[in-house]
Amino acid sequence: MTSTPLNNKHSAPQTTPLSYADIQSIVADDFEIMDKQVFGSLNSKVQLVMSVSQHVINAGGKRMRPLITLLCARMFDDKPSTEAMHLAAITEMLHTATLVHDDVIDESGQRRGKPTANATWDNATAVLVGDYLIARAFNLLVGFQSLPLLKVFSDGTCDIAEGEVLQLQHQHNPAATEDDYLRIIDGKTSRLFMMATQGSAILQDKTEYLQALGDFGQHFGNAFQIIDDVLDYSGDSEVMGKNLGDDLAEGKPTLPTIKALELLKNSDIEGYEQLRIAVQTGKTPNAKQLIELVRRSGSLDYCKQRALEETKLAQQALSTLPDNRYRTGLYQLTELASARLV
C-alpha cells in the first residue's frame, strides 16, 4: 500500500515533540477508565494469582499500547466507547504477560527499578501467572463475540510467542543477521502494536483501514524496538531501569550488535573477535570497552537511520486514515519515540 506524506494542519510534524502526558491527555477520560479496567478485569479465585497479577500490572510502564487503541477508536468515532476501553485493557494485559515471561527468561531482578515477579516470588509462579494473564485476556475477548477480532488477537499472540522463541534460538549467536533480528522484533514487539491498532478498526467496523493500521503498527513497533536497542548502548541507565550493555551480556541478537560485528569484521578483526566472544559466551567483564567498541564501529549511526526510516514509514501509513487530532496523537507518538535518539 502506498501512502502520501502527511501535509495538513492536523498532522504537521511538531518542532518540539509533545510529552507523553500531553498525548495521553487527548483521551484522558478514556485512559483513566481503561487503566481501572486492567485491574478490574482480574477475577481469579486464587489469591496468589491476584497478588502477583496486581504486582506486575502496578509495575507496568506508560500503557502505550492501550493508548494507541484508544486513539484509534476515537479517530474513527469521536465518542466514548466502552468496548474500545475494554479492548485497550485486554491489550495491556497481554503486554504485561509478555513482560513477566521475558523477566523469567532473562533472569531479571528488576524492571523499571522495581522488583520483578520472578524475583519477588519465583520463576514457576511468575510463568504461571503470565499464563493466567494470557488466558484471562482471551476469556475477555470472547465476550466481544467477534471472530475477526479473536482471529487478529490469536494470530498475533502466536506470532509474539514465535518471536520470543526465535530470540531464544539466536541467543549467543554471533552469526545472527539483520533479517533474523527483523523477524524476531516483528513478532515480539511489532505484532502487539498491530493488534492494538487493528482491533479498534474491527470494533468500529472500519475494516477498510486494516492494512494502513497494520502498516503503522508494524513500522512503529520496529522503530520503537530498534530505538530501545540503540539505547542499550547509548542511553541513561537510570531512565531505562537497567544497566547499559545488559542485552549484550544476555546474548540477545540486537541490531546494534549484529551491525557492529559486520562492520568490525571488515575494519578491526581484533575488536570483532572480542565482541564475537562476548556475544557467544555472555561474559562481559570489560563491558565498558565492548560498549565503546560498538559505538566506534558506526553501528549506532546505522541503527538510528534504520529507526528513522521505520518511523517515516509508520507516519506515511497514517496519511490514509481519518484526519483529526487523534491521528495527530498517533503521529506525535512516533515523533516522541524518535526524540529518544537525540
Side-chain angles (χ1 to χ4, degrees):
M1 175 173 210
T2 57
S3 302
T4 54
L6 302 179
N7 58 7
N8 53 56
K9 63 179 180 179
H10 290 296
S11 302
Q14 300 290 313
T15 305
T16 303
L18 296 180
S19 71
Y20 185 82
D22 290 333
I23 300 169
Q24 184 183 306
S25 71
I26 301 171
V27 289
D29 292 342
D30 296 356
F31 193 92
E32 184 178 354
I33 295 169
M34 175 280 300
D35 207 33
K36 291 176 181 175
Q37 286 184 349
V38 176
F39 292 97
S41 298
L42 301 171
N43 69 344
S44 175
K45 305 178 191 70
V46 179
Q47 184 54 47
L48 182 59
V49 169
M50 293 298 290
S51 298
V52 180
S53 297
Q54 288 171 355
H55 173 87
V56 297
I57 290 170
N58 271 325
K62 296 179 177 178
R63 311 272 199 260
M64 180 179 286
R65 291 146 192 86
L67 174 59
I68 289 172
T69 296
L70 295 174
L71 287 169
C72 286
R74 285 276 189 169
M75 177 174 63
F76 293 128
D77 189 5
D78 191 6
K79 63 184 181 184
S81 167
T82 302
E83 284 194 328
M85 296 175 211
H86 197 43
L87 185 65
I90 291 169
T91 303
E92 181 62 16
M93 198 176 289
L94 283 171
H95 179 232
T96 301
T98 65
L99 297 182
V100 173
H101 287 162
D102 278 352
D103 288 338
V104 172
I105 293 167
D106 298 341
E107 301 179 0
S108 300
Q110 286 195 331
R111 179 176 285 277
R112 303 185 185 96
K114 297 180 181 179
T116 56
N118 50 295
T120 305
W121 285 273
D122 53 45
N123 283 347
T125 301
V127 168
L128 291 172
V129 171
D131 291 346
Y132 167 78
L133 288 170
I134 294 172
R136 180 61 179 149
F138 276 89
N139 181 240
L140 294 167
L141 278 167
V142 171
F144 289 101
Q145 297 185 354
S146 168
L147 279 177
L149 185 64
L150 200 56
K151 180 167 175 55
V152 164
F153 271 75
S154 58
D155 287 351
T157 304
C158 288
D159 289 337
I160 290 168
E162 288 177 346
E164 295 287 1
V165 173
L166 270 175
Q167 179 172 268
L168 196 61
Q169 182 180 322
H170 286 289
Q171 193 172 16
H172 298 298
N173 175 20
T177 66
E178 183 170 340
D179 283 344
D180 294 327
Y181 171 80
L182 290 173
R183 287 175 62 209
I184 290 166
I185 69 170
D186 179 69
K188 70 184 287 287
T189 302
S190 305
R191 194 58 55 183
L192 193 54
F193 279 75
M194 294 171 71
M195 292 154 66
T197 58
Q198 292 182 320
S200 287
I202 293 170
L203 280 182
Q204 306 282 2
D205 197 25
K206 299 288 185 180
T207 52
E208 66 269 27
Y209 294 115
L210 284 175
Q211 182 65 55
L213 289 168
D215 290 344
F216 170 77
Q218 182 174 37
H219 291 302
F220 183 32
N222 285 352
F224 191 84
Q225 187 60 59
I226 294 170
I227 291 165
D228 251 14
D229 293 340
V230 167
L231 292 177
D232 189 57
Y233 288 95
S234 63
D236 184 323
S237 58
E238 288 189 15
V239 172
M240 296 169 65
K242 66 176 187 176
N243 296 320
L244 294 188
D246 275 359
D247 289 346
L248 176 59
E250 291 164 9
K252 287 184 179 178
T254 68
L255 190 56
T257 310
I258 289 168
K259 192 64 182 178
L261 284 167
E262 179 187 321
L263 293 168
L264 289 169
K265 193 170 187 178
N266 297 321
S267 63
D268 179 359
I269 196 64
E270 184 179 341
Y272 165 78
E273 278 300 315
Q274 285 182 348
L275 188 58
R276 183 190 66 78
I277 292 169
V279 169
Q280 202 162 36
T281 63
K283 295 177 181 177
T284 57
N286 55 339
K288 288 184 179 179
Q289 181 183 342
L290 292 167
I291 290 169
E292 187 57 33
L293 195 59
V294 171
R295 289 173 177 171
R296 287 203 321 265
S297 71
S299 168
L300 298 187
D301 290 336
Y302 173 83
C303 294
K304 288 176 183 179
Q305 184 58 40
R306 285 289 291 113
L308 293 175
E309 288 169 4
E310 291 289 337
T311 299
K312 189 66 176 175
L313 289 169
Q315 292 171 345
Q316 287 174 351
L318 291 174
S319 66
T320 59
L321 300 174
D323 179 17
N324 51 43
R325 64 192 181 119
Y326 304 107
R327 186 180 87 171
T328 302
L330 292 170
Y331 184 96
Q332 289 163 341
L333 276 178
T334 67
E335 290 284 285
L336 185 62
S338 295
R340 298 165 70 206
L341 288 173
V342 176

PDB file of all heavy atoms in Angstrom, residues 210-229:
ATOM      1  N   LEU A 210      -7.708  -1.606   7.826  1.00  0.00           N
ATOM      2  CA  LEU A 210      -6.867  -2.613   8.486  1.00  0.00           C
ATOM      3  C   LEU A 210      -5.437  -2.631   7.941  1.00  0.00           C
ATOM      4  O   LEU A 210      -4.480  -2.766   8.703  1.00  0.00           O
ATOM      5  CB  LEU A 210      -7.493  -4.005   8.349  1.00  0.00           C
ATOM      6  CG  LEU A 210      -8.688  -4.305   9.252  1.00  0.00           C
ATOM      7  CD1 LEU A 210      -9.276  -5.675   8.925  1.00  0.00           C
ATOM      8  CD2 LEU A 210      -8.290  -4.235  10.722  1.00  0.00           C
ATOM      9  N   GLN A 211      -5.288  -2.499   6.630  1.00  0.00           N
ATOM     10  CA  GLN A 211      -3.946  -2.539   6.037  1.00  0.00           C
ATOM     11  C   GLN A 211      -3.106  -1.355   6.495  1.00  0.00           C
ATOM     12  O   GLN A 211      -1.945  -1.510   6.908  1.00  0.00           O
ATOM     13  CB  GLN A 211      -4.032  -2.545   4.508  1.00  0.00           C
ATOM     14  CG  GLN A 211      -2.677  -2.636   3.805  1.00  0.00           C
ATOM     15  CD  GLN A 211      -1.963  -3.940   4.071  1.00  0.00           C
ATOM     16  OE1 GLN A 211      -2.504  -5.014   3.847  1.00  0.00           O
ATOM     17  NE2 GLN A 211      -0.724  -3.871   4.577  1.00  0.00           N
ATOM     18  N   ALA A 212      -3.682  -0.165   6.445  1.00  0.00           N
ATOM     19  CA  ALA A 212      -2.945   1.033   6.865  1.00  0.00           C
ATOM     20  C   ALA A 212      -2.573   0.951   8.343  1.00  0.00           C
ATOM     21  O   ALA A 212      -1.457   1.299   8.742  1.00  0.00           O
ATOM     22  CB  ALA A 212      -3.766   2.287   6.594  1.00  0.00           C
ATOM     23  N   LEU A 213      -3.504   0.472   9.163  1.00  0.00           N
ATOM     24  CA  LEU A 213      -3.239   0.348  10.596  1.00  0.00           C
ATOM     25  C   LEU A 213      -2.182  -0.717  10.871  1.00  0.00           C
ATOM     26  O   LEU A 213      -1.334  -0.554  11.751  1.00  0.00           O
ATOM     27  CB  LEU A 213      -4.532  -0.001  11.338  1.00  0.00           C
ATOM     28  CG  LEU A 213      -5.563   1.118  11.423  1.00  0.00           C
ATOM     29  CD1 LEU A 213      -6.903   0.575  11.904  1.00  0.00           C
ATOM     30  CD2 LEU A 213      -5.081   2.234  12.346  1.00  0.00           C
ATOM     31  N   GLY A 214      -2.242  -1.810  10.102  1.00  0.00           N
ATOM     32  CA  GLY A 214      -1.226  -2.849  10.246  1.00  0.00           C
ATOM     33  C   GLY A 214       0.147  -2.323   9.878  1.00  0.00           C
ATOM     34  O   GLY A 214       1.140  -2.603  10.565  1.00  0.00           O
ATOM     35  N   ASP A 215       0.210  -1.541   8.783  1.00  0.00           N
ATOM     36  CA  ASP A 215       1.483  -0.946   8.370  1.00  0.00           C
ATOM     37  C   ASP A 215       2.013   0.002   9.443  1.00  0.00           C
ATOM     38  O   ASP A 215       3.205  -0.010   9.780  1.00  0.00           O
ATOM     39  CB  ASP A 215       1.312  -0.175   7.049  1.00  0.00           C
ATOM     40  CG  ASP A 215       1.064  -1.094   5.854  1.00  0.00           C
ATOM     41  OD1 ASP A 215       1.319  -2.311   5.979  1.00  0.00           O
ATOM     42  OD2 ASP A 215       0.605  -0.592   4.811  1.00  0.00           O
ATOM     43  N   PHE A 216       1.116   0.829   9.977  1.00  0.00           N
ATOM     44  CA  PHE A 216       1.527   1.753  11.032  1.00  0.00           C
ATOM     45  C   PHE A 216       2.066   0.986  12.242  1.00  0.00           C
ATOM     46  O   PHE A 216       3.152   1.288  12.758  1.00  0.00           O
ATOM     47  CB  PHE A 216       0.363   2.642  11.459  1.00  0.00           C
ATOM     48  CG  PHE A 216       0.659   3.441  12.704  1.00  0.00           C
ATOM     49  CD1 PHE A 216       1.460   4.569  12.640  1.00  0.00           C
ATOM     50  CD2 PHE A 216       0.146   3.053  13.946  1.00  0.00           C
ATOM     51  CE1 PHE A 216       1.762   5.306  13.788  1.00  0.00           C
ATOM     52  CE2 PHE A 216       0.439   3.777  15.097  1.00  0.00           C
ATOM     53  CZ  PHE A 216       1.243   4.900  15.018  1.00  0.00           C
ATOM     54  N   GLY A 217       1.305   0.005  12.705  1.00  0.00           N
ATOM     55  CA  GLY A 217       1.706  -0.752  13.887  1.00  0.00           C
ATOM     56  C   GLY A 217       3.021  -1.481  13.704  1.00  0.00           C
ATOM     57  O   GLY A 217       3.881  -1.468  14.595  1.00  0.00           O
ATOM     58  N   GLN A 218       3.191  -2.093  12.537  1.00  0.00           N
ATOM     59  CA  GLN A 218       4.427  -2.839  12.292  1.00  0.00           C
ATOM     60  C   GLN A 218       5.638  -1.922  12.247  1.00  0.00           C
ATOM     61  O   GLN A 218       6.654  -2.185  12.897  1.00  0.00           O
ATOM     62  CB  GLN A 218       4.324  -3.624  10.989  1.00  0.00           C
ATOM     63  CG  GLN A 218       5.576  -4.454  10.712  1.00  0.00           C
ATOM     64  CD  GLN A 218       5.426  -5.350   9.492  1.00  0.00           C
ATOM     65  OE1 GLN A 218       4.802  -4.963   8.508  1.00  0.00           O
ATOM     66  NE2 GLN A 218       5.984  -6.541   9.565  1.00  0.00           N
ATOM     67  N   HIS A 219       5.540  -0.834  11.489  1.00  0.00           N
ATOM     68  CA  HIS A 219       6.705   0.047  11.346  1.00  0.00           C
ATOM     69  C   HIS A 219       6.997   0.829  12.630  1.00  0.00           C
ATOM     70  O   HIS A 219       8.158   1.022  12.988  1.00  0.00           O
ATOM     71  CB  HIS A 219       6.499   1.000  10.169  1.00  0.00           C
ATOM     72  CG  HIS A 219       6.521   0.313   8.836  1.00  0.00           C
ATOM     73  ND1 HIS A 219       7.608  -0.420   8.402  1.00  0.00           N
ATOM     74  CD2 HIS A 219       5.576   0.208   7.857  1.00  0.00           C
ATOM     75  CE1 HIS A 219       7.338  -0.922   7.206  1.00  0.00           C
ATOM     76  NE2 HIS A 219       6.130  -0.568   6.861  1.00  0.00           N
ATOM     77  N   PHE A 220       5.952   1.251  13.331  1.00  0.00           N
ATOM     78  CA  PHE A 220       6.177   1.944  14.600  1.00  0.00           C
ATOM     79  C   PHE A 220       6.771   0.976  15.624  1.00  0.00           C
ATOM     80  O   PHE A 220       7.694   1.329  16.372  1.00  0.00           O
ATOM     81  CB  PHE A 220       4.866   2.548  15.116  1.00  0.00           C
ATOM     82  CG  PHE A 220       5.035   3.352  16.386  1.00  0.00           C
ATOM     83  CD1 PHE A 220       6.200   4.054  16.650  1.00  0.00           C
ATOM     84  CD2 PHE A 220       4.011   3.411  17.315  1.00  0.00           C
ATOM     85  CE1 PHE A 220       6.347   4.805  17.826  1.00  0.00           C
ATOM     86  CE2 PHE A 220       4.137   4.150  18.486  1.00  0.00           C
ATOM     87  CZ  PHE A 220       5.307   4.847  18.741  1.00  0.00           C
ATOM     88  N   GLY A 221       6.278  -0.258  15.639  1.00  0.00           N
ATOM     89  CA  GLY A 221       6.837  -1.261  16.549  1.00  0.00           C
ATOM     90  C   GLY A 221       8.297  -1.543  16.246  1.00  0.00           C
ATOM     91  O   GLY A 221       9.130  -1.654  17.160  1.00  0.00           O
ATOM     92  N   ASN A 222       8.624  -1.657  14.953  1.00  0.00           N
ATOM     93  CA  ASN A 222      10.025  -1.872  14.565  1.00  0.00           C
ATOM     94  C   ASN A 222      10.905  -0.716  15.035  1.00  0.00           C
ATOM     95  O   ASN A 222      11.976  -0.922  15.610  1.00  0.00           O
ATOM     96  CB  ASN A 222      10.136  -1.996  13.042  1.00  0.00           C
ATOM     97  CG  ASN A 222       9.637  -3.331  12.517  1.00  0.00           C
ATOM     98  OD1 ASN A 222       9.330  -4.246  13.281  1.00  0.00           O
ATOM     99  ND2 ASN A 222       9.538  -3.449  11.201  1.00  0.00           N
ATOM    100  N   ALA A 223      10.439   0.511  14.759  1.00  0.00           N
ATOM    101  CA  ALA A 223      11.210   1.692  15.163  1.00  0.00           C
ATOM    102  C   ALA A 223      11.389   1.725  16.674  1.00  0.00           C
ATOM    103  O   ALA A 223      12.493   1.979  17.175  1.00  0.00           O
ATOM    104  CB  ALA A 223      10.500   2.968  14.687  1.00  0.00           C
ATOM    105  N   PHE A 224      10.328   1.452  17.387  1.00  0.00           N
ATOM    106  CA  PHE A 224      10.350   1.503  18.850  1.00  0.00           C
ATOM    107  C   PHE A 224      11.384   0.525  19.413  1.00  0.00           C
ATOM    108  O   PHE A 224      12.160   0.868  20.310  1.00  0.00           O
ATOM    109  CB  PHE A 224       8.954   1.168  19.382  1.00  0.00           C
ATOM    110  CG  PHE A 224       8.770   1.443  20.846  1.00  0.00           C
ATOM    111  CD1 PHE A 224       8.435   2.709  21.285  1.00  0.00           C
ATOM    112  CD2 PHE A 224       8.926   0.431  21.783  1.00  0.00           C
ATOM    113  CE1 PHE A 224       8.254   2.969  22.639  1.00  0.00           C
ATOM    114  CE2 PHE A 224       8.757   0.684  23.129  1.00  0.00           C
ATOM    115  CZ  PHE A 224       8.419   1.951  23.562  1.00  0.00           C
ATOM    116  N   GLN A 225      11.426  -0.703  18.851  1.00  0.00           N
ATOM    117  CA  GLN A 225      12.358  -1.703  19.357  1.00  0.00           C
ATOM    118  C   GLN A 225      13.797  -1.378  18.976  1.00  0.00           C
ATOM    119  O   GLN A 225      14.720  -1.547  19.786  1.00  0.00           O
ATOM    120  CB  GLN A 225      11.991  -3.090  18.834  1.00  0.00           C
ATOM    121  CG  GLN A 225      12.818  -4.222  19.453  1.00  0.00           C
ATOM    122  CD  GLN A 225      12.655  -4.297  20.953  1.00  0.00           C
ATOM    123  OE1 GLN A 225      11.548  -4.481  21.448  1.00  0.00           O
ATOM    124  NE2 GLN A 225      13.742  -4.152  21.707  1.00  0.00           N
ATOM    125  N   ILE A 226      14.016  -0.901  17.754  1.00  0.00           N
ATOM    126  CA  ILE A 226      15.370  -0.529  17.342  1.00  0.00           C
ATOM    127  C   ILE A 226      15.896   0.596  18.248  1.00  0.00           C
ATOM    128  O   ILE A 226      17.050   0.562  18.692  1.00  0.00           O
ATOM    129  CB  ILE A 226      15.409  -0.095  15.857  1.00  0.00           C
ATOM    130  CG1 ILE A 226      15.087  -1.287  14.944  1.00  0.00           C
ATOM    131  CG2 ILE A 226      16.793   0.459  15.502  1.00  0.00           C
ATOM    132  CD1 ILE A 226      14.869  -0.912  13.482  1.00  0.00           C
ATOM    133  N   ILE A 227      15.039   1.569  18.529  1.00  0.00           N
ATOM    134  CA  ILE A 227      15.437   2.675  19.410  1.00  0.00           C
ATOM    135  C   ILE A 227      15.801   2.141  20.793  1.00  0.00           C
ATOM    136  O   ILE A 227      16.825   2.526  21.374  1.00  0.00           O
ATOM    137  CB  ILE A 227      14.311   3.723  19.503  1.00  0.00           C
ATOM    138  CG1 ILE A 227      14.152   4.451  18.157  1.00  0.00           C
ATOM    139  CG2 ILE A 227      14.587   4.730  20.611  1.00  0.00           C
ATOM    140  CD1 ILE A 227      12.865   5.230  18.014  1.00  0.00           C
ATOM    141  N   ASP A 228      14.982   1.250  21.331  1.00  0.00           N
ATOM    142  CA  ASP A 228      15.277   0.636  22.629  1.00  0.00           C
ATOM    143  C   ASP A 228      16.642  -0.044  22.619  1.00  0.00           C
ATOM    144  O   ASP A 228      17.420   0.061  23.573  1.00  0.00           O
ATOM    145  CB  ASP A 228      14.208  -0.407  22.973  1.00  0.00           C
ATOM    146  CG  ASP A 228      13.307   0.055  24.113  1.00  0.00           C
ATOM    147  OD1 ASP A 228      13.333   1.249  24.456  1.00  0.00           O
ATOM    148  OD2 ASP A 228      12.570  -0.786  24.655  1.00  0.00           O
ATOM    149  N   ASP A 229      16.929  -0.740  21.526  1.00  0.00           N
ATOM    150  CA  ASP A 229      18.187  -1.489  21.441  1.00  0.00           C
ATOM    151  C   ASP A 229      19.389  -0.567  21.280  1.00  0.00           C
ATOM    152  O   ASP A 229      20.476  -0.859  21.783  1.00  0.00           O
ATOM    153  CB  ASP A 229      18.113  -2.506  20.291  1.00  0.00           C
ATOM    154  CG  ASP A 229      17.101  -3.613  20.558  1.00  0.00           C
ATOM    155  OD1 ASP A 229      16.742  -3.815  21.740  1.00  0.00           O
ATOM    156  OD2 ASP A 229      16.651  -4.267  19.599  1.00  0.00           O
TER     157      ASP A 229
END
